Amino acid sequence: MTAPITREDLRPWQRALREEFPIVTGHPELAYLDSAATAQKPRAVLDTVQRYLTTSNANAARGTYTWANRTTELVERTRERVARFLGDSRPERSAVHFTSGTTEGLRTVARDWLPGFLRDGDEIVVPDADHQANIVPWLEARESLAREGVHVRVVPMPYQSGSGDYDHRALAERAGPRTRFVATTHVHHVYGGDMNVRRIREAVGPDAVICLDAAQSVGHLPLSVAELDVDFVVFSGHKALALPGSGAVWARQARGPVFMPGGWSGTPNTVGIASLEAALDWLDAAGVDRIERWTADLAARLTEGLRRLDAYEVLGCPLSLAADSDVQRRQGIVTLRHRAIDSGDLGFILFSHGFMVRSDHHCQGDAGEKTGSVRVSLHVYNTGEEIDRLLSVLASLQ
């Protein structure tokens, strides 16, 4: 039996990967702790972007010369790369559509696919304590259908009190034969937990369509659509080490009508697509399973320290704070509040000590947190030393 990989085993691996991020190594006085907002880019992605723009930059599917042909091949090759990265065992059946990111991707499904799937009296499940991008498009689709005389009922996704996790038992009780569509999230952008998508399928049955917001999971932990019985996976390239303005919708094409975005297909973000291919190659080479282990260990190191500081409240499951907890671990996201200092002020204080964090309401839906908070989000370039320095500063503010 192979021994499990320890944190010490990963140290040389992590040190080598950290060196591949010029913006990180170029600013050793700063700790970037906002990767849930956007991730930094490894040199391989930066080099790919420069090489593409200086050797092959052209429009796709609109020319017969070499550069145009190369770009067309790049776009099609990256579609296949996305499907392969997501563990798609039947790529000949599925489809990949490039978008500017998760928000546009979810809106594309809501605008161009969902109306043709729903009928009067159907129900959709909306996670109204998740990110607004995974709430608003579905409500807009309901209103659009209502104007056409098709009335769809919105069922709020139930949550467990105090943890922010989905309440799968309550969902099973709420779901019925008219529950046709479920919007869900893989990793919560505030609470940091894996939302246990496998149990969503068990709760809603075999026929409902499930759309997965994977903005905080693609590039952070292994994701296999062969194992997760979902119908759509939507993610942003910029959170997965690629350039801003890149992202994708993967569609299984098994339940409901064929996914085909409406309107004329204009010029794609070819340089963003080039960066996405390079980022997925880099992630595969680095090992997404190791990235997950590293960031989860750092998050546990942070929550273990925070639970000893009475001045702070950590959002999400309180049972997962201890480093040795057997409760599901946080996926590199820890969100906290100081009991006396406003979150905006705390963000400014932390930046004065060299820490870049997110401090606001994090675009959470109406059923989410009512008070602002500070979010620490991690990636492979972060270190245990950064976490220890952060805890030292937080302790000084007790």
Side-chain angles (χ1 to χ4, degrees), residues 148-171:
E148 299 175 8
V150 178
H151 298 284
V152 173
R153 177 171 175 259
V154 170
V155 177
M157 175 73 78
Y159 294 82
Q160 296 179 22
S161 176
S163 71
D165 294 330
Y166 294 148
D167 188 333
H168 301 92
R169 290 185 180 180
L171 177 60

Side-chain angles (χ1 to χ4, degrees), residues 168-213:
H168 301 92
R169 290 185 180 180
L171 177 60
E173 293 171 358
R174 294 186 186 185
R178 298 305 299 270
T179 304
R180 303 271 285 152
F181 179 86
V182 181
T184 184
T185 298
H186 197 182
V187 172
H188 200 281
H189 72 294
V190 174
Y191 306 122
D194 183 325
M195 303 302 277
N196 205 338
V197 179
R198 290 179 179 83
R199 293 191 63 190
I200 296 289
R201 174 58 68 197
E202 296 172 7
V204 301
D207 299 324
V209 168
I210 299 176
C211 180
L212 184 65
D213 174 351

Side-chain angles (χ1 to χ4, degrees), residues 12 25 30 36 41 72 89 103-104 115 140 146 156 164 168 184 195 229 258-259 266 295 320 325 329 333 346 389:
T25 57
L30 299 174
K41 320 307 175 193
T72 302
S89 60
T103 300
E104 187 200 346
E140 291 175 341
H168 301 92
T184 184
M195 303 302 277
D229 189 8
V258 171
F259 173 67
T295 56
S320 67
S325 171
R329 307 179 77 184
I333 295 175
L346 182 57
R389 285 197 293 114

Side-chain angles (χ1 to χ4, degrees), residues 164 185 201 224 234 297 342 350:
T185 298
R201 174 58 68 197
S224 171
V234 188
D297 277 358
D342 175 79
L350 290 177

Side-chain angles (χ1 to χ4, degrees), residues 350-391:
L350 290 177
F351 182 63
S352 73
H353 289 274
F355 299 101
M356 293 178 279
V357 297
R358 172 84 173 263
S359 53
D360 58 16
H361 288 80
H362 317 295
C363 303
Q364 198 171 4
D366 291 342
E369 303 291 330
K370 306 304 181 187
T371 306
S373 54
V374 167
R375 183 180 68 185
V376 175
S377 52
L378 308 159
H379 216 304
V380 69
Y381 35 74
N382 293 119
T383 66
E385 291 73 22
E386 290 175 335
I387 298 302
D388 292 343
R389 285 197 293 114
L390 175 64
L391 284 168

